[in-house]
Amino acid sequence: MAFSRALYCILFIGMIYLSPNGVICRDIFTAYNHMAKLASVELELHQALQDYISAEETKLLELREFYKLIARARQLQSDATTSLTDYAANPIRAYLMLKRFVWQWRQIKEKMEGQQELILGRLRNYKELMPSEVDLDGALKAIARIQETYHLPPSYITAGLREMPMEESQLGIQDTYTIGRDSYHQEKYYNTKIWMEEAFRQMNGSSYKDGVKLSDILDHLSWVEFKLGNVQQAVNYTVEWLRLEPDHIRARTNLIYMTRENERLLGDSSSKVEKPDAAKKEKKLKPHQRKRYDYKNFDWPTEKKNYRRLCRDEEILTYEEKQDDNKLKCSYFNKDPLLRIKPARMERVWEKPPIYIFRDFASKKEIEDLKAISGPQLSRATVHNPTTGKIEFANYRISEFSWLYDTDGEAVAKVNARLGAVTQLDVSTAEGLQVQNYGMAGQYDPHFDFSRIKLEKARAVKEHELKLIKGLGDGNRIATALLYMNKVEAGGATVFPYVGARLTPSEGDVVFWHNLMRSGDGDFRTRHAGCPIISGTKWVANKWFHEAGQEFKRPCGLSPYE
C-alpha cells in the first residue's frame, strides 16, 4: 500500500512536469529529429523507472522492519491501552523515540526523497523535450492524413501498419474513435465512416470500452451513412442505437425522419423508367493552362485528386502536354571547372517542364555534416499566406527547417559551390541552404517556389503585397535545387500534379528545375508537392536561385513560352 501511494505521488508530480502549461512547446510531431530524441528520453526514463521500482521494493522491506521495530518499542500489538502521557513519561522510551525521529525517520524521509529524484530529476532535465497535447493532436491528424492519402485500411493502421492485426490493436478504441470524430467535424463523411466502422470492430460486441460508448459510434455511423446517401443503412444503425438507448430522443426522431426518407426514395426509384442512353458521361476535366497569373483560378479539386493519385503511384486524371520519352537521356556534365575531374551524372527525368536529377551529388559524410550542423537550429517551417501577407504555420507543411550558409561549415560551402557548378547559375544572389526534416506524415501540399506577384505588373494595392515586391531585390526565384539527404522508407515522393511527374530520388541526389520561363513569367507547370511520409524520416535541403546575376547564364528567349 505504501508503495502504491508513493508511486501515485511520483506519477502525479510527473504529470505536472508533462502538463502543457509547464512545457515549452516545440511541436514535436513536426520533425522526426525531435521524435528520435524523445525516443531516447523514454528509453532512459524506462530504465530509471526500473531502478526506482527495484529501489522501492528494497525500501519496502526496510520500511516493514522499521514498522515492526516501532510496534515492538511501543508494544502497540499487546498493550493498546497505554496512554500517550504514560508512554512518553518513561525516559528510556522517550529517548528511543527521539532517537528514531533524529536518525531513523530522517533516513526514511531522505530515502523516499532520493528515490523520487530518479524519475523527477530526469523529467526536469528533459522538460523542453516533453510533448504537449498539441503534439498528440498533430500526431493523430498525421495518422488520419496517411490513411486519406494512400487509401490504407484503418485496420492496417490500427495494427501498427501491419497486414495481419495483432491480438490487441496498437491503436486503441479511443484513438480510432477520436480520428473518426475529427473527420466528422471536418465533414469528411467517408473518412468518418471507415474509422467508425473500425471502432465498431474494436468494440467486439461490448457496449462500453475504454471510455467509448457503442451508442456514440452508432450515432456517427447512422448520420454519415445518411449524408452519403445510404439511407437504409442509416436506418439500420439507428435501430441498433435505439436497442441500446430506447429513450434517446434524437435517435427516435432521426429514425422517423430517415424511415420516411427511405420510403420516399424507394417510391421514386420504382416509378422511374431508365432510358437506354441515360447513362451519365464522365465529365472531361480541363487540362491545366500553362500561363496564368491569377492563382485563385486554379482547378483545385483536380489538383487535389492528381496529387493524391501521384502519391499512390497512380496515373493522374489529365496531362497538360504529351511527353517525348526519347528526350529523357543520361549524360555526364562537366561544363564547370569544378566538374572536370569528376563530372556530374545528369539525368533528364521529365521533358515539359525540364526536370533533371544529378545522381550521387553529395557524399555520405557531407550529408551527415549538414544534418549535424542544422539539427540544433531546427524550427517549425512556415509559409507566406498570399491572402493576408503574414508568415504563419500551416497544417499542409509539416516539417522543421534551418538556414545554413557557407560560414556554418566546410560541407555547406562545398555543397553550395557544387550546386552553382551543376546548375550553371550564379549562387551569389541565391538564398541560403534550407535544410528540412519532416515530421509524422510530413508533407508539403502543392505549391509554387516562385512569387505569383509580377514585378513589372504590380497589381498590388495592399501594403503587404507592396512590401513583398520590395523584398524581391534579387528578383524572383528562377530555379530550385532539391538535395535528398536520405532514402525515405515509405511515402514521401516529390510530385508535380499538373504534369504527372513523380520522383523518388536516392540519398545524395539533387533534383533541379527552372521555376520561371525565359521571359521571367512563372512556369505554372512546376507546381509541386511533397507526399506524406508513411514510415521512416525525410531530410532534404532546398537551394533557391534568384533572377539577379543570371542575365547571361540564362538569357531571355525569342518566345514567351520558352
Side-chain angles (χ1 to χ4, degrees):
M1 189 68 179
F3 169 71
S4 299
R5 288 177 179 172
L7 184 57
Y8 290 152
C9 176
I10 293 295
L11 293 176
F12 174 75
I13 299 174
M15 289 304 293
I16 294 176
Y17 284 107
L18 292 172
S19 67
N21 295 331
V23 174
I24 297 176
C25 181
R26 291 294 305 274
D27 288 339
I28 303 296
F29 74 98
T30 60
Y32 270 115
N33 187 51
H34 293 313
M35 205 75 72
K37 292 178 183 176
L38 203 61
S40 174
V41 169
E42 186 176 42
L43 191 64
E44 184 177 337
L45 288 174
H46 178 262
Q47 183 59 52
L49 188 59
Q50 177 62 48
D51 296 341
Y52 173 77
I53 292 171
S54 300
E56 283 293 315
E57 289 172 344
T58 303
K59 186 172 68 179
L60 279 175
L61 295 175
E62 296 175 357
L63 290 175
R64 288 193 182 99
E65 291 300 318
F66 185 52
Y67 173 83
K68 292 176 183 178
L69 173 65
I70 297 173
R72 287 194 300 270
R74 301 189 57 163
Q75 299 179 347
L76 297 179
Q77 294 175 338
S78 59
D79 188 8
T81 59
T82 303
S83 69
L84 295 177
T85 303
D86 292 341
Y87 179 85
N90 185 304
I92 304 301
R93 288 178 175 173
Y95 165 75
L96 292 174
M97 181 176 66
L98 290 174
K99 182 180 178 180
R100 287 194 298 272
F101 272 104
V102 171
W103 294 110
Q104 291 168 297
W105 278 110
R106 182 185 295 174
Q107 289 173 354
I108 291 295
K109 177 177 178 292
E110 290 173 353
K111 282 183 180 180
M112 293 185 71
E113 289 176 346
Q115 297 306 323
Q116 290 179 9
E117 281 300 310
L118 285 173
I119 302 294
L120 298 185
R122 285 173 170 81
L123 289 174
R124 280 193 294 268
N125 292 339
Y126 296 122
K127 184 178 178 181
E128 292 187 10
L129 281 176
M130 293 301 173
S132 67
E133 291 181 6
V134 172
D135 294 301
L136 198 60
D137 182 62
L140 215 54
K141 282 181 168 60
I143 293 170
R145 185 163 58 250
I146 290 174
Q147 186 284 319
E148 187 176 2
T149 302
Y150 295 100
H151 291 181
L152 299 174
S155 58
Y156 174 80
I157 294 175
T158 58
L161 300 179
R162 290 182 173 89
E163 292 288 352
M164 296 297 293
M166 303 172 69
E167 291 184 7
E168 185 175 348
S169 298
Q170 290 195 23
L171 207 61
I173 179 67
Q174 277 189 335
D175 303 315
T176 306
Y177 176 78
T178 301
I179 294 175
R181 186 160 175 78
D182 188 56
S183 299
Y184 175 79
H185 288 316
Q186 298 178 57
E187 298 184 355
K188 297 179 178 179
Y189 296 127
Y190 176 74
N191 293 355
T192 305
K193 173 186 174 179
I194 59 177
W195 282 107
M196 287 298 176
E197 286 175 343
E198 173 61 16
F200 183 86
R201 184 189 70 81
Q202 290 184 349
M203 291 296 284
N204 199 23
S206 303
S207 59
Y208 182 86
K209 186 177 180 181
D210 297 338
V212 178
K213 295 193 297 183
L214 179 60
S215 58
D216 289 338
I217 296 175
L218 294 169
D219 180 6
H220 284 84
L221 281 171
S222 66
W223 186 247
V224 296
E225 290 286 13
F226 181 77
K227 296 293 286 185
L228 292 170
N230 307 321
V231 183
Q232 182 58 58
Q233 188 62 38
V235 170
N236 296 341
Y237 279 130
T238 308
V239 170
E240 290 295 321
W241 179 12
L242 281 169
R243 286 179 183 171
L244 296 172
E245 298 179 348
D247 299 326
H248 199 288
I249 296 174
R250 183 161 54 82
R252 294 168 67 178
T253 305
N254 284 358
L255 182 61
I256 295 171
Y257 174 71
M258 290 177 180
T259 303
R260 288 175 180 171
E261 184 65 14
N262 192 41
E263 291 172 353
R264 184 187 68 79
L265 291 173
L266 290 173
D268 289 348
S269 61
S270 61
S271 63
K272 284 181 182 176
V273 181
E274 195 151 331
K275 297 180 181 178
D277 352 330
K280 291 183 180 178
K281 293 183 180 179
E282 187 178 349
K283 185 180 178 182
K284 190 175 180 181
L285 299 170
K286 286 185 178 180
H288 169 62
Q289 296 176 10
R290 183 197 315 179
K291 187 176 178 181
R292 187 179 297 169
Y293 299 117
D294 187 357
Y295 70 94
K296 293 180 181 178
N297 289 334
F298 262 82
D299 186 357
W300 300 114
T302 302
E303 178 187 64
K304 191 173 184 180
K305 291 176 184 176
N306 283 351
Y307 163 56
R308 290 179 176 172
R309 289 175 71 92
L310 286 171
C311 288
R312 298 191 297 270
D313 200 12
E314 300 173 1
E315 287 190 357
I316 64 173
L317 302 175
T318 58
Y319 286 96
E320 181 190 355
E321 297 175 80
K322 189 176 180 180
Q323 302 292 309
D324 185 357
D325 291 343
N326 293 325
K327 293 186 178 179
L328 307 182
K329 299 179 180 179
C330 301
S331 62
Y332 283 102
F333 185 82
N334 63 352
K335 291 184 179 180
D336 191 276
L338 281 178
L339 306 174
R340 293 294 165 80
I341 297 177
K342 185 181 178 182
R345 295 168 54 203
M346 182 176 71
E347 179 182 351
R348 184 168 180 173
V349 293
W350 204 258
E351 182 198 1
K352 300 174 183 177
I355 303 175
Y356 302 89
I357 295 182
F358 294 97
R359 301 291 183 183
D360 299 321
F361 172 88
S363 68
K364 183 84 173 176
K365 184 180 184 307
E366 287 173 333
I367 289 173
E368 293 306 315
D369 287 347
L370 293 179
K371 289 180 183 178
I373 297 169
S374 62
Q377 305 176 40
L378 289 174
S379 60
R380 185 170 178 182
T382 56
V383 297
H384 173 263
N385 188 321
T387 303
T388 64
K390 295 181 178 178
I391 300 297
E392 57 190 30
F393 297 136
N395 59 10
Y396 57 82
R397 189 183 189 187
I398 305 300
S399 65
E400 296 200 355
F401 76 100
S402 66
W403 291 100
L404 301 184
Y405 301 92
D406 289 357
T407 53
D408 289 320
E410 185 182 1
V412 183
K414 284 184 175 180
V415 168
N416 279 333
R418 206 178 307 133
L419 284 172
V422 298
T423 62
Q424 291 291 280
L425 294 175
D426 189 344
V427 295
S428 65
T429 57
E431 298 175 41
L433 194 66
Q434 187 195 70
V435 177
Q436 288 190 74
N437 178 220
Y438 283 77
M440 289 189 64
Q443 64 164 12
Y444 196 175
D445 274 358
H447 62 281
F448 303 109
D449 279 353
F450 61 87
S451 171
R452 294 181 291 271
I453 298 176
K454 291 175 62 64
L455 298 181
E456 67 275 19
K457 290 186 179 180
R459 298 175 290 112
V461 291
K462 297 179 183 178
E463 183 180 349
H464 74 265
E465 290 181 327
L466 291 171
K467 184 178 180 182
L468 180 60
I469 290 176
K470 293 176 182 177
L472 296 173
D474 291 327
N476 215 333
R477 286 175 173 173
I478 192 173
T480 295
L482 184 60
L483 168 63
Y484 288 74
M485 300 167 66
N486 74 304
K487 183 69 176 176
V488 182
E489 187 177 325
T494 299
V495 298
F496 293 72
Y498 276 95
V499 297
R502 181 180 189 272
L503 309 177
T504 56
S506 301
E507 179 180 326
D509 291 350
V510 162
V511 177
F512 173 73
W513 67 88
H514 289 97
N515 297 306
L516 305 180
M517 315 290 269
R518 287 185 177 272
S519 62
D521 290 338
D523 189 345
F524 287 86
R525 300 171 302 177
T526 62
R527 189 167 172 83
H528 59 286
C531 295
I533 299 167
I534 299 176
S535 63
T537 183
K538 180 179 178 181
W539 286 83
V540 296
N542 293 290
K543 188 71 174 180
W544 289 298
F545 297 88
H546 284 248
E547 290 177 289
Q550 321 300 347
E551 294 84 355
F552 297 103
K553 292 180 176 290
R554 191 172 187 256
C556 290
L558 298 177
S559 168
Y561 300 105
E562 290 183 14

